Structure formats: structure tokens, C-alpha cells
Amino acid sequence: MTTSTQIVGRSLHGLTYAVLGWAVAYGGVRLAWTVGEAPEFGRLGLDLLGFTGWWSVALCAAAGGLAVALDRVATWRPALAALAWTVAGALVAAAAILLPELVGFLLFTVGPFFDPLAFVSRLGCVTGAVLLSLATARYQRRTRGDCPACCRTVRPGTRRSAPARWARWAAWAAVGGLVTRFAAQFAVGFDRVDQSASLLGLEIGLVLAGVLLPLALVYHWGEVWPGWVPLLAGRTIPRPLLLVPGFGLGAGIVAYFGMGMVQVTSGSHSEFSDAFLWVAMSAYLVMGMGLVIGSTDYHLRTRGQCGACGR
């Protein structure tokens, strides 16, 4: 008789093998660097944040073990899913420096601290996070009765067309976070910050990411091109155009500045005061979380009807 803790006796899913393969390959590299001699990684001197040495090896081992557990456990276990999401989040946080590096590529500059090997290592770390996240999402769909095609659990006819109130609060909180960040910069003096062309481009991008993007996620003009947009007015805006930067930037900002706050707490040195760093990083965290929340509502609200379940 099947019990609530019975393990499914079957071969592993291909996604599970992918996580295991990554854990062996990337974990093997981390193990070699831990017991042997790790590269210098350029001027910055590191590739990952926080989870280095044996911690990085432990993360890889945990990801592989969790992937097998997610594939074998036949019933919904919230604690198992929470642990898997936590490990995936830790992998993203460890590679948080990837965010400014990718932004640098968009601005056609890599900065003085860029190191190709460290960049590849961070990409490898994030790859593991993505694979484990996909495995966790598959486990949830399989054990909670979600539609395997669209992941929905709601009943037909319950879809919303208007943004949720909590999403709009989150979007405006993201705007408030950006305003707070610039206020903190104004308080210490803009002359203390390098006003290079690349940094100016970064700050213009911040305005777009911290004002235009979160508001577009929770207002109608983020679904249909406004009338003042030439050639596109009235047409539906492709969902990935908002969801990719919304989720990507949001998660990246939370990971990067979350790890930054951990470093400040541990007593790392900076040319700026701790008060400025706490205010500025907290503001960035609010902005990042606002983007993730707004993107979640936008995804739930704008997705089409599923052809498999009709929801």
C-alpha cells in the first residue's frame, strides 16, 4: 500500500541528470580549487561571494542530493521544496557579482576588476541555480496537482484582468527605493561618485529599471503600446519584454545588494560611511523585491489560456 513517504521506483528524469551532471562537474572544480590552489581571479581576488571554499562544494553537493530527492519523493513536501529554493537562491547570491558585469557589457565596458575565469565560474554557478529551480518547479507541478503545461492550480474563470493591489504597492515601493537611493547619493555629494560616461549610462538605466519598468508591470500601458509610440501604438506588448528584465534585474539586485549588506555587517571597509551603505543598499533591496513582485503579478495576469487544462 502506498504511503505518504513512499519513494517512486523509476528511473531519474532528464532534468535530474542535468543537475547531477552540473553538481559533479562544477562541484569537482570547486573541490579542486578548495583542496588545491585556486586561481587569483584578477584584481578582485574572488569569483563567488560568501559561499567559497568548502561552502561552495557543499552547495553543489546539496543541489545534487536535492535534485534526486525532488525526483523520487511522490508527495508534496513543502519543507523539501523550501530547502531546494533556498539552495538555488544561495547559488544566485554567491554569483551576485554577475549582475554588474552583465550591466557593464550592456554599457560596452567590463571595468577594471573583470576577470574572464571568474566570469565563467559565476555563469556556472547560476547555471546550477537555474537547473535546480526548474527541478523544484517540476516537483511542485507533479506533486501538487498543477497543470504540467502551465503550472496553474486555480479553477477556470478565476483569472484577473486588473493588477492586484499588492502588486501596485510593490511597484511604487520600487520607485520609492530608487528615489531613496538617489537621495542618499545626494546627501554624500555627487562629486564623490565617478561621473564617467559609463556610470551616467548606468544611472539612466536605473531610472528606467526603477521607475518605468515597475510601473509598466502594474498599469495597462505595460500591456498595450501607448498611442505616442510610433508604429506600435495599440499593439500588445510582448510579455518577455517586461518579464525578462523584471525577474532578471529584480532577482539580481536582491542577490547583489543582499550579499553587499552581509559584507557591511561583517565589517568590510568602504570609502562611504556605514550609514550611507545601509540606506542605499536597503533602497536597492526594496527596488529589487518590488520588481520581482510586480513581475509575478504581470505574469499571472497576462498569460494566455492553457491549451492543456483550459485554465
Side-chain angles (χ1 to χ4, degrees):
M1 181 177 180
T2 301
T3 65
S4 60
T5 58
Q6 183 176 1
I7 304 301
V8 180
R10 55 176 174 75
S11 60
L12 296 176
H13 188 267
L15 187 57
T16 306
Y17 283 116
V19 179
L20 286 173
W22 169 87
V24 171
Y26 189 72
V29 172
R30 303 305 311 186
L31 179 61
W33 287 350
T34 299
V35 300
E37 184 176 353
E40 294 295 331
F41 297 121
R43 292 174 59 182
L44 194 59
L46 51 82
D47 60 333
L48 302 181
L49 295 176
F51 298 93
T52 57
W54 288 108
W55 283 109
S56 63
V57 177
L59 274 183
C60 295
L66 284 168
V68 174
L70 291 168
D71 198 29
R72 292 293 188 176
V73 174
T75 55
W76 170 238
R77 289 287 180 267
L80 176 61
L83 182 58
W85 286 119
T86 299
V87 172
L91 288 168
V92 173
I97 301 177
L98 196 62
L99 174 64
E101 289 181 328
L102 294 177
V103 171
F105 288 153
L106 294 176
L107 299 175
F108 303 102
T109 179
V110 295
F113 296 99
F114 179 78
D115 181 79
L117 182 58
F119 178 74
V120 172
S121 175
R122 292 169 196 136
L123 281 179
C125 189
V126 170
T127 298
V130 172
L131 291 174
L132 181 59
S133 297
L134 292 175
T136 307
R138 176 180 175 273
Y139 166 73
Q140 293 183 176
R141 291 195 301 269
R142 177 171 58 84
T143 58
R144 296 192 310 181
D146 297 2
C147 172
C150 68
C151 312
R152 295 174 185 166
T153 57
V154 296
R155 297 184 304 275
T158 60
R159 295 179 67 245
R160 294 183 286 105
S161 59
R165 179 177 298 180
W166 49 265
R168 285 191 172 173
W169 276 107
W172 281 106
V175 176
L178 182 65
V179 172
T180 302
R181 182 269 186 193
F182 279 116
Q185 184 174 327
F186 177 80
V188 301
F190 284 87
D191 57 333
R192 293 190 60 188
V193 182
D194 176 23
Q195 294 299 318
S196 62
S198 61
L199 186 60
L200 181 61
L202 175 61
E203 293 186 345
I204 293 174
L206 276 175
V207 172
L208 295 176
V211 178
L212 183 63
L213 179 57
L215 296 183
L217 289 167
V218 296
Y219 286 96
H220 181 67
W221 51 269
E223 301 175 33
V224 179
W225 291 107
W228 48 267
V229 179
L231 303 178
L232 297 174
R235 296 187 179 184
T236 301
I237 297 178
R239 298 174 72 242
L241 191 63
L242 295 181
L243 289 177
V244 171
F247 279 121
L249 282 175
I253 288 172
V254 170
Y256 183 73
F257 290 100
M259 292 301 291
M261 292 185 73
V262 171
Q263 289 183 314
V264 172
T265 303
S266 64
S268 62
H269 299 288
S270 171
E271 62 178 304
F272 297 104
S273 67
D274 286 349
F276 168 78
L277 292 175
W278 275 106
V279 171
M281 290 185 178
S282 298
Y284 273 122
L285 282 176
V286 171
M287 188 177 88
M289 289 187 289
L291 284 172
V292 171
I293 294 172
S295 299
T296 300
D297 180 75
Y298 185 87
H299 164 66
L300 296 175
R301 190 178 74 252
T302 61
R303 58 186 179 178
Q305 185 178 42
C306 177
C309 67
R311 299 170 183 170

